[in-house]
């Protein structure tokens, strides 16, 4: 995509029927750090890579709680994402106030998409430069949607957006058919493995990723660093173990005692 | 056509009484469960106590439709606060919010007589008492509603600190234990039930402490 005479404002069509400003907005999403979402019949897991401006600063928040039963992960212009999250929270609260019941996620994404469409048809506005992975519940169970700057939205079993998301998508494409009946723990493991794919070689540490879960009977919550690190340890240790001891639990237990013995000779061994 | 006086009122009084007592590390909030209109009873087990936040519990008597609407508004505002600040509202913060919400409708008030009880930021019990348009005060104990005129003087007798001007000097009250406070609440409601026709059926007592909340139900006279 190169500069041309039809890309100055969003209200100009190109002769080939394209709105370049909208397409440029979608490019902004591809520049953001990766965000991944997957769902089973009852749970949705959202994960993202923590990117910081510099070593001195903290990383930006890319996963937001919208309500107990809806969460959103963003990629692109995080400021736009923050504002849209506030809009989603407001819609959710107003719906609950009027109808005394939680806003079905399918309705919310339509509101979001309509809001995004407005910005593609006003000369004094610009499209939102953020892609949103909206995970939530309605009466039929868990759902994952992707909202683009164009005003389109799609439902997914699993999806990844942002930079190097293709690697994660390839991983998810291989595994998505089993997600529907996955347990929550397996879903989390797949999410973190998908995040690892986007890092392409960089060692996966719990400080590099943020993971959030929501499901039927489980309100939206972030996983703490310890839990994430434990999941990472299960598959990192399995990779290191020479003898295939089979079963992630055994691998973890086998790895722990040698470390203890080496670390502190005075402490009694943990395993008998 | 003679001008008729308005015989329709947007308000009704559903009766009932609410009490709250603050302790050193607890707060007791209690209300009867009778809901009435005129001389009729609408319900014998309607709860007038509503938890707004982890450390703030609201009890309101008056027009229950307005009370319900008020609770909904406060609940939504609390959700917004939690999204913005990533934590629950403290009791003093909720107290101010309630006052502002009530005054917002200064010229068509919520017909609600509120008592807000909870734990402050230091973990000490606190009670805030309101009028219908939001004037509020932090107090150690309060009663609102149809039985308040019967209960308040007795609570003053038992709980009010002696004046520092008295001679000979009387020391201030020993702190009230949780069991003593609950017992006092049961006593005042039993007495109020005797003489206030709008108070009775059963008594709901909520005790709020740092580790959580406990609810107890006690039978009252049903006549």
């Amino acid at each position: 995509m190169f500069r041309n005479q039809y890309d100055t404002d969003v209200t100009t069509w190109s002769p080939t029927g394209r709105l370049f400003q909208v397409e440029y907005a979608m490019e902004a999403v591809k520049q953001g750090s990766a965000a991944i979402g997957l769902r089973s019949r009852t749970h949705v897991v959202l994960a993202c890579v923590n990117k910081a401006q510099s070593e001195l600063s903290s990383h930006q928040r890319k996963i937001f709680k919208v309500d107990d039963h809806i969460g959103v992960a963003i990629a692109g212009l995080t400021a736009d994402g923050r504002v849209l999250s506030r809009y989603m929270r407001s819609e959710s609260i107003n719906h609950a106030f009027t109808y005394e019941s939680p806003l079905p996620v399918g309705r919310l994404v339509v509101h979001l998409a309509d809001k995004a469409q407005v910005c593609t048809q006003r000369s004094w506005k610009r499209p939102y430069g953020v892609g949103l992975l909206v995970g939530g519940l309605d009466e039929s169970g868990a759902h994952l949607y992707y909202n683009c700057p164009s005003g389109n939205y799609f439902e997914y079993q699993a999806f990844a957006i942002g930079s190097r998301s293709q690697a994660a998508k390839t991983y998810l494409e291989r595994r998505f058919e089993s997600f529907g009946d996955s347990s929550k723990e397996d879903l989390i493991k797949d999410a973190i493995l998908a995040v690892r794919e986007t890092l392409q070689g960089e060692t996966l540490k719990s400080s590099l990723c943020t993971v959030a879960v929501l499901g039927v009977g489980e309100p939206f919550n972030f996983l703490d660093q310890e839990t994430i690190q434990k999941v990472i340890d299960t598959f990192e240790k399995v990779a290191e173990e020479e003898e295939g001891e089979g079963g992630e639990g055994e691998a973890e237990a086998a790895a722990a005692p040698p470390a203890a013995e080496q670390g502190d000779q005075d402490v009694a061994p943990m395993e008998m | 056509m003679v001008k008729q006086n308005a015989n329709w009122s947007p308000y009704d009084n559903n009766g009932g009484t609410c009490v709250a007592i603050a302790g050193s590390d607890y707060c007791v909030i209690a209300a009867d469960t009778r809901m009435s209109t005129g001389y009729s009873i609408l319900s014998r087990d309607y709860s007038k106590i509503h938890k707004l936040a982890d450390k703030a519990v609201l009890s309101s008597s008056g027009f229950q439709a307005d009370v319900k609407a008020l609770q909904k508004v406060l609940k939504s505002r609390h959700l917004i606060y939690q999204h913005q600040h990533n934590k629950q509202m403290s009791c003093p913060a909720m107290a101010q919010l309630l006052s502002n919400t009530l005054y917002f409708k200064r010229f068509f008030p919520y017909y609600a007589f509120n008592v807000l009880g909870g734990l402050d930021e230091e973990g000490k019990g606190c009670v805030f008492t309101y009028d219908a348009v939001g004037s509020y005060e932090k107090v150690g104990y309060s009663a609102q509603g149809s039985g308040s005129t019967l209960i308040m003087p007795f609570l003053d007798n038992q709980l009010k600190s002696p004046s520092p001007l008295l001679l000979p000097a009387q020391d201030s009250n020993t702190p009230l234990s949780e069991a003593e406070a609950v017992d006092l609440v049961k006593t005042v409601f039993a007495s109020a039930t005797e003489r206030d026709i709008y108070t009775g059926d059963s008594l709901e007592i909520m005790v709020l402490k740092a580790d959580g909340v406990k609810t107890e139900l006690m039978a009252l006279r049903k006549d």
Side-chain angles (χ1 to χ4, degrees), chain A residues 39-105:
Chain A
R39 71 149 172 113
S40 70
R41 245 184 285 278
T42 54
H43 286 81
V44 181
V45 177
L46 297 168
C48 72
V49 173
N50 296 342
K51 187 171 81 165
Q53 285 284 73
S54 76
E55 273 184 33
L56 296 166
S57 74
S58 61
H59 63 84
Q60 285 180 315
R61 201 132 70 88
K62 287 157 52 74
I63 303 186
F64 298 92
K65 173 177 167 174
V66 170
D67 205 339
D68 282 337
H69 69 294
I70 301 178
V72 61
I74 63 172
L77 264 54
T78 41
D80 283 2
R82 207 178 54 236
V83 158
L84 285 175
S85 303
R86 197 158 55 223
Y87 169 74
M88 292 163 78
R89 285 170 177 168
S90 165
E91 289 295 290
S92 198
I93 288 172
N94 289 338
H95 187 278
F97 184 94
T98 311
Y99 300 103
E100 292 277 342
S101 78
L103 173 62
V105 63

Side-chain angles (χ1 to χ4, degrees), chain B residues 1-7:
Chain B
M1 184 74 165
V2 178
K3 188 176 182 186
Q4 289 178 301
N5 285 325
N7 44 23

Side-chain angles (χ1 to χ4, degrees), chain B:
Chain B
M1 184 74 165
V2 178
K3 188 176 182 186
Q4 289 178 301
N5 285 325
N7 44 23
W8 177 83
S9 165
Y11 298 114
D12 187 16
N13 192 342
N14 299 122
T17 311
C18 308
V19 166
I21 301 179
S24 53
D25 63 346
Y26 66 89
C27 188
V28 178
I29 301 103
D32 71 320
T33 61
R34 173 176 288 179
M35 184 170 162
S36 43
T37 176
Y39 289 125
S40 305
I41 291 183
L42 290 171
S43 170
R44 291 192 190 275
D45 58 10
Y46 185 81
S47 172
K48 290 194 260 289
I49 305 182
H50 192 82
K51 191 163 162 214
L52 294 175
D54 275 350
K55 306 249 168 90
V57 175
L58 178 67
S59 185
S60 324
S61 71
F63 181 36
Q64 290 301 321
D66 273 357
V67 167
K68 188 82 186 191
L70 179 63
Q71 284 168 0
K72 285 177 74 156
V73 166
L74 291 172
K75 182 169 160 203
S76 296
R77 290 300 304 273
H78 188 219
L79 256 181
I80 295 171
Y81 181 97
Q82 284 178 79
H83 282 141
Q84 289 176 344
H85 298 90
N86 220 25
K87 63 171 187 161
Q88 297 253 332
M89 271 178 100
S90 66
C91 195
M94 187 60 83
Q96 186 64 51
L97 177 64
L98 174 55
S99 171
N100 293 346
T101 308
L102 291 169
Y103 197 80
F104 196 70
K105 272 171 65 72
R106 171 68 179 81
F107 300 113
F108 185 9
Y110 289 106
Y111 195 126
F113 301 106
N114 304 294
V115 182
L116 182 72
L119 301 172
D120 66 16
E121 314 249 42
E122 294 164 14
K124 287 200 284 233
C126 56
V127 170
F128 297 90
T129 191
Y130 295 78
D131 72 359
V133 285
S135 162
Y136 81 111
E137 188 190 356
K138 180 168 179 219
V139 289
Y141 58 92
S142 180
Q144 291 277 359
S146 56
S148 63
T149 47
L150 298 166
I151 293 176
M152 212 45 189
F154 185 63
L155 291 179
D156 285 333
N157 177 279
Q158 296 290 305
L159 302 176
K160 198 166 182 176
S161 330
S163 165
L165 301 171
L166 281 173
L167 283 174
Q170 287 182 35
D171 57 7
S172 44
N173 300 347
T174 50
L176 200 68
S177 77
E178 184 193 323
E180 283 174 323
V182 171
D183 212 56
L184 180 60
V185 157
K186 290 180 180 174
T187 310
V188 293
F189 265 93
S191 303
T193 305
E194 292 291 313
R195 294 288 176 176
D196 176 23
I197 59 172
Y198 300 110
T199 303
D201 289 326
S202 70
L203 170 63
E204 188 184 2
I205 308 174
M206 215 185 250
V207 181
L208 192 60
K209 295 177 84 161
D211 55 4
V213 69
K214 265 189 300 144
T215 309
E216 191 187 331
L217 219 56
M218 185 187 93
L220 291 172
R221 280 186 68 162
K222 299 187 183 337
D223 61 357

Side-chain angles (χ1 to χ4, degrees), chain A residues 238-266:
Chain A
V238 167
E240 284 169 23
E241 280 293 319
E242 287 167 14
E243 308 161 24
E245 289 198 39
E248 294 116 11
E250 293 174 83
E252 195 182 359
E261 281 164 49
Q262 285 158 18
D264 202 335
Q265 300 291 353
D266 298 329

Side-chain angles (χ1 to χ4, degrees), chain A:
Chain A
M1 242 186 302
F2 295 108
R3 281 233 69 193
N4 54 69
Q5 51 179 182
Y6 309 110
D7 68 355
T8 307
D9 49 55
V10 74
T11 49
T12 305
W13 287 101
S14 83
T16 53
R18 293 159 74 170
L19 288 170
F20 280 105
Q21 280 296 309
V22 175
E23 295 185 21
Y24 295 164
M26 314 264 264
E27 277 301 308
V29 176
K30 294 183 198 160
Q31 300 301 326
S33 57
I36 287 145
L38 344 60
R39 71 149 172 113
S40 70
R41 245 184 285 278
T42 54
H43 286 81
V44 181
V45 177
L46 297 168
C48 72
V49 173
N50 296 342
K51 187 171 81 165
Q53 285 284 73
S54 76
E55 273 184 33
L56 296 166
S57 74
S58 61
H59 63 84
Q60 285 180 315
R61 201 132 70 88
K62 287 157 52 74
I63 303 186
F64 298 92
K65 173 177 167 174
V66 170
D67 205 339
D68 282 337
H69 69 294
I70 301 178
V72 61
I74 63 172
L77 264 54
T78 41
D80 283 2
R82 207 178 54 236
V83 158
L84 285 175
S85 303
R86 197 158 55 223
Y87 169 74
M88 292 163 78
R89 285 170 177 168
S90 165
E91 289 295 290
S92 198
I93 288 172
N94 289 338
H95 187 278
F97 184 94
T98 311
Y99 300 103
E100 292 277 342
S101 78
L103 173 62
V105 63
R107 299 256 185 90
L108 179 62
V109 293
V110 178
H111 291 181
L112 252 181
D114 288 345
K115 196 169 160 72
Q117 191 280 338
V118 168
C119 299
T120 67
Q121 211 175 9
R122 305 279 185 272
S123 61
W124 63 89
K125 287 184 179 244
R126 63 156 178 84
Y128 287 106
V130 65
L132 302 114
L133 281 171
V134 184
L137 304 176
D138 69 13
E139 288 165 342
S140 57
H143 299 270
L144 175 70
Y145 293 90
Y146 171 54
N147 278 70
C148 336
S150 60
N152 282 327
Y153 67 97
F154 308 95
E155 186 171 358
Y156 286 94
Q157 185 77 49
F159 201 50
I161 55 177
S163 70
R164 296 190 284 204
S165 57
Q166 189 49 55
K169 269 190 268 190
T170 315
Y171 172 82
L172 294 170
E173 274 166 26
R174 270 187 276 131
R175 312 248 319 144
F176 78 94
E177 267 149 346
S178 65
F179 287 167
D181 296 311
S182 276
S183 69
K184 182 183 93 165
E185 289 69 29
D186 283 339
L187 216 58
I188 292 171
K189 200 169 98 176
D190 276 314
I192 298 177
L193 280 166
V195 167
R196 192 172 71 154
E197 297 294 313
T198 67
L199 294 172
Q200 278 173 357
E202 210 182 320
T203 355
L204 178 62
K205 284 178 292 194
S206 63
S207 55
L208 277 176
C209 61
T210 305
V211 183
V213 182
L214 70 101
V216 175
E218 180 174 352
F220 179 95
N221 63 91
F222 286 98
L223 297 184
D224 56 41
Q225 298 288 62
E226 274 180 53
T227 319
I228 299 175
Q229 190 59 50
K230 279 209 197 95
V231 178
I232 294 174
D233 288 342
T234 56
F235 50 78
E236 293 287 348
K237 288 263 152 55
V238 167
E240 284 169 23
E241 280 293 319
E242 287 167 14
E243 308 161 24
E245 289 198 39
E248 294 116 11
E250 293 174 83
E252 195 182 359
E261 281 164 49
Q262 285 158 18
D264 202 335
Q265 300 291 353
D266 298 329
V267 176
M270 299 289 276
E271 296 275 310
M272 272 306 192

